[in-house]
Amino acid sequence: MNTDQIRLFINICSLIRDEIALTYPSYVDTETSAPPFFPESQAEWISVCLGITTEQIDILWAVLRHTIWKMDDAVRQFESLADLFMESAFVSLFPPYRKCPRPECKDRRSEMRREHVRDAIVFTFERGIQWAKSVHLTCIGCHTNYRPTYYVPRVNVGKPRRHYYSKFPRYIQVDDHHYVETRVAHLWTQSMMISATAATSCAKIYEQTFARQLSDIEKHYFTKPKLPSALSRLPFSPRLRSDHVWTAFVVLALIRDARAHRRILHVPHTGEQRVRFDAAMQDRNLRTIAFGQHEIRHHCKACMRFYEETDESGTVIIKSCQPVVSDGLTIGHPCCKTFRCTIHLSKIRDHYCGECGKLYANKCAVETCNEVIMLTPETKRTCADEVHRQMEIQNVQRGQSLFVLTSRLTRQRISAPDFDAETDDDTLIWYEVDAQNRVTQRVNTRPVNVGVSDTDADRTDRQINPPNATCPSKTPKRQRILLARRRTACEVTLIRPCGIILQRGTMHGAEAVSNVLQMTKATFCVPGARKPEIFIYDTACEAKQQAMNLDDDWWDDVHMVVDPWHLVTKHKTTHEFCQKYCNPASFPELLREDGKGWWFNSSVAEQTNVWLGSYHSIVKEMLPIKYNFFLDEMIRLRNIDTIQTLKDRGRCPQYYPVEDDS
């Protein structure tokens, strides 16, 4: 029996004193003195946990029972210990090594003693905001600087870089003097995934809950409790900011990604914090585009069906069917105002990319107009055309109206607003001009996104009701004046009927069907992916016609159908091609055995869009790199949650082998 076993025995007994007292009769006084004998029922599991005999437990109890009965339990002991450090650093942040582990170092045997100590703040899970000291050690042999979460090798040429340790960190550095416990960062990540909690809300919730002690809550019923006074003496703020939350989220996701691929995360050591992780995030974004989500090889009983089919000779053949559902969602990030320009903006408030800004920054804001801006007392963004000036004047007047201001105020007060609620960037506004050049403003506060042909996607003068409307006959977007920033058109997703999200793609100008086809083919050409037998899409009739005209046999064995809801409500019954090739009733494998329902959940994309759309208010002010990284990470986490749900329901989720060329 060693000292660790004795210490654990004392701590365990201090926590189960009430259980021990309940094993004695009521006439035994356990409030003022410890019971003479240790209960056998408690001794058995303590013996297993600590690896000691029941005889040793009896001896320990006989010697230590009076001390155990009067001492604070283990939890209160820890709290008392933490209170002793309120006037100094309670958490000590050290590098995980005392000797330099680098193979090229010439002095690996000596321990590092060159230290640099800095005050810090740690946002912990159990003890709230704590004063800490961060210790940096420098190797004498190779001059590598080791810090609590990363090390910085000395370089003679170029800029230094931070190399994060392969060991999973307990704390994540989010600023020069601020650290976040990894459990807290994980909590914020899950809050974002489950309830679309914004970073600002995460910081506020932490400050109102985790940063407060029970004694503070008891003493302050009508007043707001404050942070410990000792923290206010530090030369930097102890408050948690939203950028701390974002940095913790990004670093945690990047570290987990690097560990999953057996790599070391390294980022620039110098430069601004806001762009420090951009290259690492972009690297993962490109890998996600090239290889899809981890669940690209997924199949289960909820998304794959085996059925029997009889051929011409009468032989029964067992076949399988695993559809994929695609749909677009009207959310996006700011992009260059030039239609379909994919160059990233330098700053979030820019209207044009660097190249287009030189060409169009002084051009009229009306689409298709390339005239130079003529300033007047009432207009600032249009040319000398009186019609264009009236468009700008009406647009500004509408922005100043009480209706719009009230709508924006309502939107600001809710944490997860409806993704198609009215804002200055999202509302679709266009203008009609009659023969007398009178301008009439038209407003659509709920613009609908739908897959369109390449011809319609390229038109900037799209009408309200085109004369030769194809099936489906939905209202496309129209020409308009672009005073606000342009945003990407939509996000297109590929989803299995079980809810697993395989891929997501950003459409810049419009949901062109050709781009959806190209994205779908690229997704299912990665190693291990299985081509879908049926492609379910709300504009499948347009997609089918384009696929038949392509010189590509990849689509020859892929059926395209419109999901039942869109077919009934959005498509023409007189469109012969749509009803002949894209009616789901034509495919028995989609029907149940009784013929009264559908085997697969073809509305899964619409249901997923409700969840994905809840991030609209979070991502609408993000630049593309962070935007794509955040959404891909949310999808990855949601897939993990979906897999667990499928397991609980007995759907047996599995993976295709990578060497499978189907």
Side-chain angles (χ1 to χ4, degrees), residues 47-151:
S47 174
V48 175
C49 293
L50 301 184
I52 59 179
T53 64
T54 55
E55 290 78 7
Q56 291 173 322
I57 292 176
D58 292 336
I59 295 174
L60 290 174
W61 182 253
V63 175
L64 301 172
R65 62 189 181 97
H66 294 295
T67 302
I68 294 174
W69 214 250
K70 295 179 180 180
M71 65 184 293
D72 290 335
D73 59 44
V75 176
R76 292 187 179 274
Q77 290 180 44
F78 176 81
E79 293 178 351
S80 301
L81 182 63
D83 293 337
L84 296 177
F85 285 87
M86 287 309 299
E87 299 299 323
S88 61
F90 173 62
V91 180
S92 297
L93 304 172
F94 279 85
Y97 306 111
R98 294 180 181 174
K99 297 180 180 180
C100 182
R102 303 187 69 195
E104 60 271 25
C105 181
K106 300 178 181 179
D107 192 20
R108 298 178 59 188
R109 295 184 178 181
S110 301
E111 293 190 359
M112 294 178 285
R113 290 294 184 263
R114 290 176 56 184
E115 63 175 357
H116 175 65
V117 182
R118 306 173 68 181
D119 286 326
I121 292 293
V122 177
F123 303 103
T124 67
F125 189 87
E126 294 181 348
R127 293 296 302 171
I129 302 177
Q130 292 292 325
W131 189 351
K133 64 177 181 179
S134 174
V135 181
H136 304 174
L137 300 177
T138 302
C139 176
I140 300 178
C142 62
H143 302 285
T144 300
N145 183 245
Y146 289 89
R147 305 194 178 194
T149 56
Y150 58 85
Y151 64 93

Side-chain angles (χ1 to χ4, degrees), residues 595-633:
K596 296 182 179 180
W598 305 101
W599 184 277
F600 300 102
N601 178 18
S602 61
S603 299
V604 65
E606 300 287 344
Q607 298 164 358
T608 304
N609 282 351
V610 175
W611 166 77
L612 194 62
S614 64
Y615 296 113
H616 174 79
S617 60
I618 298 178
V619 303
K620 65 176 298 184
E621 295 301 324
M622 289 183 181
L623 288 173
I625 293 178
K626 188 176 180 180
Y627 173 92
N628 292 319
F629 182 84
F630 174 78
L631 289 183
D632 288 340
E633 180 68 8

Side-chain angles (χ1 to χ4, degrees), residues 452-464:
V452 296
S453 64
D454 290 0
T455 303
D456 289 337
D458 290 334
R459 290 169 55 189
T460 57
D461 59 341
R462 287 166 278 180
Q463 302 175 5
I464 301 174

Side-chain angles (χ1 to χ4, degrees), residues 19-248:
E19 285 81 356
I20 294 175
L22 288 176
T23 61
Y24 280 83
S26 59
Y27 56 81
V28 177
D29 181 17
T30 59
E31 287 189 357
T32 58
S33 60
F37 304 106
F38 197 82
E40 293 183 2
S41 59
Q42 305 291 345
E44 292 179 358
W45 73 270
I46 291 181
S47 174
V48 175
C49 293
L50 301 184
I52 59 179
T53 64
T54 55
E55 290 78 7
Q56 291 173 322
I57 292 176
D58 292 336
I59 295 174
L60 290 174
W61 182 253
V63 175
L64 301 172
R65 62 189 181 97
H66 294 295
T67 302
I68 294 174
W69 214 250
K70 295 179 180 180
M71 65 184 293
D72 290 335
D73 59 44
V75 176
R76 292 187 179 274
Q77 290 180 44
F78 176 81
E79 293 178 351
S80 301
L81 182 63
D83 293 337
L84 296 177
F85 285 87
M86 287 309 299
E87 299 299 323
S88 61
F90 173 62
V91 180
S92 297
L93 304 172
F94 279 85
Y97 306 111
R98 294 180 181 174
K99 297 180 180 180
C100 182
R102 303 187 69 195
E104 60 271 25
C105 181
K106 300 178 181 179
D107 192 20
R108 298 178 59 188
R109 295 184 178 181
S110 301
E111 293 190 359
M112 294 178 285
R113 290 294 184 263
R114 290 176 56 184
E115 63 175 357
H116 175 65
V117 182
R118 306 173 68 181
D119 286 326
I121 292 293
V122 177
F123 303 103
T124 67
F125 189 87
E126 294 181 348
R127 293 296 302 171
I129 302 177
Q130 292 292 325
W131 189 351
K133 64 177 181 179
S134 174
V135 181
H136 304 174
L137 300 177
T138 302
C139 176
I140 300 178
C142 62
H143 302 285
T144 300
N145 183 245
Y146 289 89
R147 305 194 178 194
T149 56
Y150 58 85
Y151 64 93
V152 183
R154 180 180 180 181
V155 293
N156 297 323
V157 180
K159 297 181 179 180
R161 298 182 66 83
R162 297 179 178 180
H163 297 257
Y164 284 80
Y165 302 116
S166 57
K167 183 180 179 181
F168 202 72
R170 182 178 179 184
Y171 301 100
I172 297 174
Q173 183 175 352
V174 295
D175 206 344
D176 289 340
H177 298 277
H178 296 84
Y179 291 78
V180 172
E181 190 175 356
T182 303
R183 291 177 62 191
V184 178
H186 177 69
L187 174 65
W188 293 337
T189 301
Q190 294 299 319
S191 298
M192 292 178 182
M193 189 272 292
I194 296 173
S195 59
T197 307
T200 303
S201 299
C202 289
K204 197 68 175 179
I205 292 172
Y206 180 87
E207 182 178 297
Q208 296 295 336
T209 54
F210 293 90
R212 313 300 182 193
Q213 303 302 322
L214 181 59
S215 58
D216 297 329
I217 300 174
E218 292 174 346
K219 296 176 183 177
H220 300 84
Y221 183 76
F222 293 104
T223 59
K224 181 179 179 180
K226 298 180 180 180
L227 297 173
S229 58
L231 299 179
S232 62
R233 298 201 301 267
L234 295 174
F236 44 85
S237 174
R239 305 298 292 271
L240 177 65
R241 304 193 307 265
S242 60
D243 59 295
H244 293 155
V245 177
W246 277 123
T247 302

Side-chain angles (χ1 to χ4, degrees), residues 334-353:
C335 63
C336 180
K337 270 189 177 180
T338 305
F339 188 64
R340 281 189 171 176
C341 177
T342 58
I343 301 177
H344 294 179
L345 300 177
S346 300
K347 298 180 180 179
I348 196 66
R349 294 299 177 186
D350 290 348
H351 285 232
Y352 290 97
C353 65

